[in-house]
Amino acid sequence: MTTEEIHFNERLSITNSSGRDDLGEYILQLAHQRPYHIVAPALHMTRYDVADIFTRVWASQKKSSSKSRQNARTVLRDKFLKADIGVTGANFLVADSGAVVVVENEGNARLSSSAPKIISPLRY
């Protein structure tokens, strides 16, 4: 959501292939929509909406839509492992110690900040 908050996604999509690391953001990327909420970006979509999106996307890629969650996880993990650059934000920063705190629910912040060759923490 960091790149969404600072309107960096549009710039990335012009110059390169960018991908979202969160399942909700990935669903919205496939649907060509913007996030509904910062914590739950695809909250406005029903499970049927998501199933339709996955069926449309994976039918063209010959993936089974019956295993949507596993397909999404496989696609997202593959993006992490192939990424050259990772961008991550922080929930809060501690000036005295220099600590950076990132709260996550899918384990993707750790992958964004450790798997790619270049790590770029955005701080504002």
Side-chain angles (χ1 to χ4, degrees), residues 20-84:
R20 310 306 194 278
D21 64 357
D22 174 82
L23 180 58
E25 291 179 67
Y26 178 61
I27 291 165
L28 294 178
Q29 182 181 21
L30 296 176
H32 304 288
Q33 294 181 13
R34 294 191 56 114
Y36 176 79
H37 187 273
I38 191 165
V39 177
L43 185 64
H44 64 292
M45 301 181 89
T46 68
R47 63 184 172 151
Y48 303 109
D49 295 334
V50 174
D52 288 343
I53 291 165
F54 284 163
T55 299
R56 177 181 44 82
V57 170
W58 290 325
S60 65
Q61 297 175 7
K62 297 193 178 10
K63 288 194 178 213
S64 167
S65 61
S66 63
K67 296 181 182 178
S68 295
R69 187 184 64 191
Q70 186 57 42
N71 286 340
R73 180 176 294 161
T74 300
V75 169
L76 290 173
R77 297 296 171 177
D78 187 52
K79 287 178 182 253
F80 280 115
L81 297 175
K82 290 181 178 176
D84 291 323

